[in-house]
PDB file of all heavy atoms in Angstrom:
ATOM      1  N   MET A   1      75.944  97.793  44.288  1.00 47.00           N
ATOM      2  CA  MET A   1      76.740  98.096  45.430  1.00 47.00           C
ATOM      3  C   MET A   1      77.191  96.834  46.135  1.00 47.00           C
ATOM      4  O   MET A   1      78.204  96.817  46.758  1.00 47.00           O
ATOM      5  CB  MET A   1      76.028  99.034  46.423  1.00 47.00           C
ATOM      6  CG  MET A   1      76.881  99.560  47.507  1.00 47.00           C
ATOM      7  SD  MET A   1      76.366 101.090  48.232  1.00 47.00           S
ATOM      8  CE  MET A   1      74.871 100.695  49.039  1.00 47.00           C
ATOM      9  N   SER A   2      76.484  95.750  45.966  1.00 52.00           N
ATOM     10  CA  SER A   2      76.846  94.481  46.638  1.00 52.00           C
ATOM     11  C   SER A   2      78.045  93.880  46.006  1.00 52.00           C
ATOM     12  O   SER A   2      78.749  93.056  46.604  1.00 52.00           O
ATOM     13  CB  SER A   2      75.668  93.532  46.576  1.00 52.00           C
ATOM     14  OG  SER A   2      75.363  93.242  45.202  1.00 52.00           O
ATOM     15  N   ASP A   3      78.402  94.261  44.729  1.00 63.00           N
ATOM     16  CA  ASP A   3      79.604  93.735  44.099  1.00 63.00           C
ATOM     17  C   ASP A   3      80.828  94.424  44.499  1.00 63.00           C
ATOM     18  O   ASP A   3      81.944  93.928  44.247  1.00 63.00           O
ATOM     19  CB  ASP A   3      79.424  93.776  42.552  1.00 63.00           C
ATOM     20  CG  ASP A   3      79.241  95.167  42.001  1.00 63.00           C
ATOM     21  OD1 ASP A   3      78.879  96.068  42.797  1.00 63.00           O
ATOM     22  OD2 ASP A   3      79.422  95.325  40.767  1.00 63.00           O
ATOM     23  N   LYS A   4      80.748  95.566  45.155  1.00 80.00           N
ATOM     24  CA  LYS A   4      81.937  96.289  45.653  1.00 80.00           C
ATOM     25  C   LYS A   4      82.277  95.742  47.025  1.00 80.00           C
ATOM     26  O   LYS A   4      81.391  95.491  47.844  1.00 80.00           O
ATOM     27  CB  LYS A   4      81.629  97.780  45.757  1.00 80.00           C
ATOM     28  CG  LYS A   4      81.445  98.406  44.410  1.00 80.00           C
ATOM     29  CD  LYS A   4      81.227  99.904  44.507  1.00 80.00           C
ATOM     30  CE  LYS A   4      80.998 100.495  43.152  1.00 80.00           C
ATOM     31  NZ  LYS A   4      80.824 101.909  43.250  1.00 80.00           N
ATOM     32  N   GLN A   5      83.544  95.617  47.301  1.00 86.00           N
ATOM     33  CA  GLN A   5      84.022  95.102  48.574  1.00 86.00           C
ATOM     34  C   GLN A   5      83.901  96.139  49.638  1.00 86.00           C
ATOM     35  O   GLN A   5      84.346  97.311  49.454  1.00 86.00           O
ATOM     36  CB  GLN A   5      85.437  94.594  48.445  1.00 86.00           C
ATOM     37  CG  GLN A   5      85.961  93.929  49.716  1.00 86.00           C
ATOM     38  CD  GLN A   5      87.383  93.419  49.510  1.00 86.00           C
ATOM     39  OE1 GLN A   5      87.989  93.580  48.456  1.00 86.00           O
ATOM     40  NE2 GLN A   5      87.907  92.823  50.554  1.00 86.00           N
ATOM     41  N   LYS A   6      83.379  95.763  50.757  1.00 85.00           N
ATOM     42  CA  LYS A   6      83.298  96.664  51.890  1.00 85.00           C
ATOM     43  C   LYS A   6      84.430  96.410  52.882  1.00 85.00           C
ATOM     44  O   LYS A   6      84.827  95.270  53.037  1.00 85.00           O
ATOM     45  CB  LYS A   6      81.945  96.496  52.592  1.00 85.00           C
ATOM     46  CG  LYS A   6      80.765  96.994  51.754  1.00 85.00           C
ATOM     47  CD  LYS A   6      79.518  97.097  52.558  1.00 85.00           C
ATOM     48  CE  LYS A   6      78.437  97.726  51.680  1.00 85.00           C
ATOM     49  NZ  LYS A   6      77.278  98.078  52.490  1.00 85.00           N
ATOM     50  N   THR A   7      84.822  97.488  53.505  1.00 84.00           N
ATOM     51  CA  THR A   7      85.927  97.431  54.484  1.00 84.00           C
ATOM     52  C   THR A   7      85.436  97.972  55.830  1.00 84.00           C
ATOM     53  O   THR A   7      84.582  98.881  55.880  1.00 84.00           O
ATOM     54  CB  THR A   7      87.116  98.243  54.032  1.00 84.00           C
ATOM     55  OG1 THR A   7      87.452  97.878  52.700  1.00 84.00           O
ATOM     56  CG2 THR A   7      88.341  98.064  54.870  1.00 84.00           C
ATOM     57  N   HIS A  19      74.457 107.166  58.755  1.00 90.00           N
ATOM     58  CA  HIS A  19      74.781 106.671  57.483  1.00 90.00           C
ATOM     59  C   HIS A  19      73.709 105.658  57.044  1.00 90.00           C
ATOM     60  O   HIS A  19      73.434 104.685  57.765  1.00 90.00           O
ATOM     61  CB  HIS A  19      76.136 105.994  57.509  1.00 90.00           C
ATOM     62  CG  HIS A  19      76.564 105.372  56.202  1.00 90.00           C
ATOM     63  ND1 HIS A  19      76.815 106.097  55.068  1.00 90.00           N
ATOM     64  CD2 HIS A  19      76.660 104.086  55.861  1.00 90.00           C
ATOM     65  CE1 HIS A  19      77.132 105.305  54.092  1.00 90.00           C
ATOM     66  NE2 HIS A  19      77.008 104.048  54.521  1.00 90.00           N
ATOM     67  N   ASN A  20      73.137 105.934  55.886  1.00 90.00           N
ATOM     68  CA  ASN A  20      72.004 105.051  55.335  1.00 90.00           C
ATOM     69  C   ASN A  20      70.911 104.825  56.406  1.00 90.00           C
ATOM     70  O   ASN A  20      70.442 103.692  56.559  1.00 90.00           O
ATOM     71  CB  ASN A  20      72.576 103.691  54.870  1.00 90.00           C
ATOM     72  CG  ASN A  20      73.344 103.860  53.551  1.00 90.00           C
ATOM     73  OD1 ASN A  20      73.270 104.893  52.853  1.00 90.00           O
ATOM     74  ND2 ASN A  20      74.139 102.847  53.274  1.00 90.00           N
ATOM     75  N   GLU A  31      80.862  99.191  58.146  1.00 90.00           N
ATOM     76  CA  GLU A  31      81.407  98.653  56.879  1.00 90.00           C
ATOM     77  C   GLU A  31      81.024  99.576  55.757  1.00 90.00           C
ATOM     78  O   GLU A  31      79.876  99.807  55.495  1.00 90.00           O
ATOM     79  CB  GLU A  31      80.926  97.211  56.688  1.00 90.00           C
ATOM     80  CG  GLU A  31      81.497  96.238  57.714  1.00 90.00           C
ATOM     81  CD  GLU A  31      81.184  94.828  57.350  1.00 90.00           C
ATOM     82  OE1 GLU A  31      80.539  94.554  56.321  1.00 90.00           O
ATOM     83  OE2 GLU A  31      81.624  93.937  58.148  1.00 90.00           O
ATOM     84  N   LEU A  32      82.036 100.005  55.010  1.00 90.00           N
ATOM     85  CA  LEU A  32      81.828 100.956  53.918  1.00 90.00           C
ATOM     86  C   LEU A  32      82.615 100.511  52.682  1.00 90.00           C
ATOM     87  O   LEU A  32      83.659  99.888  52.777  1.00 90.00           O
ATOM     88  CB  LEU A  32      82.310 102.368  54.295  1.00 90.00           C
ATOM     89  CG  LEU A  32      81.682 102.981  55.559  1.00 90.00           C
ATOM     90  CD1 LEU A  32      82.452 104.213  55.956  1.00 90.00           C
ATOM     91  CD2 LEU A  32      80.230 103.279  55.323  1.00 90.00           C
ATOM     92  N   THR A  33      82.106 100.953  51.546  1.00 91.00           N
ATOM     93  CA  THR A  33      82.917 100.817  50.317  1.00 91.00           C
ATOM     94  C   THR A  33      83.926 101.941  50.245  1.00 91.00           C
ATOM     95  O   THR A  33      83.878 102.823  51.097  1.00 91.00           O
ATOM     96  CB  THR A  33      82.016 100.855  49.059  1.00 91.00           C
ATOM     97  OG1 THR A  33      81.385 102.163  48.997  1.00 91.00           O
ATOM     98  CG2 THR A  33      80.915  99.780  49.098  1.00 91.00           C
ATOM     99  N   GLU A  34      84.805 101.859  49.345  1.00 90.00           N
ATOM    100  CA  GLU A  34      85.832 102.874  49.190  1.00 90.00           C
ATOM    101  C   GLU A  34      85.202 104.222  48.917  1.00 90.00           C
ATOM    102  O   GLU A  34      85.622 105.248  49.487  1.00 90.00           O
ATOM    103  CB  GLU A  34      86.822 102.529  48.071  1.00 90.00           C
ATOM    104  CG  GLU A  34      87.900 101.529  48.504  1.00 90.00           C
ATOM    105  CD  GLU A  34      88.787 102.013  49.631  1.00 90.00           C
ATOM    106  OE1 GLU A  34      89.190 103.162  49.664  1.00 90.00           O
ATOM    107  OE2 GLU A  34      89.040 101.139  50.555  1.00 90.00           O
ATOM    108  N   GLU A  35      84.173 104.252  48.083  1.00 92.00           N
ATOM    109  CA  GLU A  35      83.519 105.552  47.793  1.00 92.00           C
ATOM    110  C   GLU A  35      82.808 106.104  49.028  1.00 92.00           C
ATOM    111  O   GLU A  35      82.946 107.350  49.271  1.00 92.00           O
ATOM    112  CB  GLU A  35      82.452 105.294  46.676  1.00 92.00           C
ATOM    113  CG  GLU A  35      83.014 104.995  45.304  1.00 92.00           C
ATOM    114  CD  GLU A  35      81.896 104.619  44.307  1.00 92.00           C
ATOM    115  OE1 GLU A  35      80.734 104.816  44.613  1.00 92.00           O
ATOM    116  OE2 GLU A  35      82.265 104.183  43.204  1.00 92.00           O
ATOM    117  N   GLU A  36      82.123 105.252  49.794  1.00 91.00           N
ATOM    118  CA  GLU A  36      81.475 105.742  51.003  1.00 91.00           C
ATOM    119  C   GLU A  36      82.508 106.243  52.015  1.00 91.00           C
ATOM    120  O   GLU A  36      82.331 107.227  52.682  1.00 91.00           O
ATOM    121  CB  GLU A  36      80.652 104.619  51.608  1.00 91.00           C
ATOM    122  CG  GLU A  36      79.426 104.214  50.771  1.00 91.00           C
ATOM    123  CD  GLU A  36      78.758 102.985  51.280  1.00 91.00           C
ATOM    124  OE1 GLU A  36      79.451 102.086  51.829  1.00 91.00           O
ATOM    125  OE2 GLU A  36      77.516 102.867  51.072  1.00 91.00           O
ATOM    126  N   ALA A  37      83.584 105.488  52.119  1.00 90.00           N
ATOM    127  CA  ALA A  37      84.697 105.831  53.065  1.00 90.00           C
ATOM    128  C   ALA A  37      85.259 107.209  52.659  1.00 90.00           C
ATOM    129  O   ALA A  37      85.600 107.982  53.531  1.00 90.00           O
ATOM    130  CB  ALA A  37      85.749 104.765  53.077  1.00 90.00           C
ATOM    131  N   LYS A  39      83.759 109.717  51.270  1.00 91.00           N
ATOM    132  CA  LYS A  39      82.823 110.751  51.639  1.00 91.00           C
ATOM    133  C   LYS A  39      82.814 110.994  53.128  1.00 91.00           C
ATOM    134  O   LYS A  39      82.604 112.131  53.615  1.00 91.00           O
ATOM    135  CB  LYS A  39      81.399 110.389  51.207  1.00 91.00           C
ATOM    136  CG  LYS A  39      81.245 110.392  49.685  1.00 91.00           C
ATOM    137  CD  LYS A  39      79.813 109.898  49.337  1.00 91.00           C
ATOM    138  CE  LYS A  39      79.687 109.812  47.812  1.00 91.00           C
ATOM    139  NZ  LYS A  39      78.374 109.311  47.456  1.00 91.00           N
TER     140      LYS A  39
END
Side-chain angles (χ1 to χ4, degrees):
M1 190 156 63
S2 61
D3 60 342
K4 294 183 181 181
Q5 185 178 0
K6 291 192 173 190
T7 308
H19 176 69
N20 288 344
E31 290 189 2
L32 303 169
T33 63
E34 282 298 319
E35 291 173 9
E36 293 170 329
K39 292 177 184 176

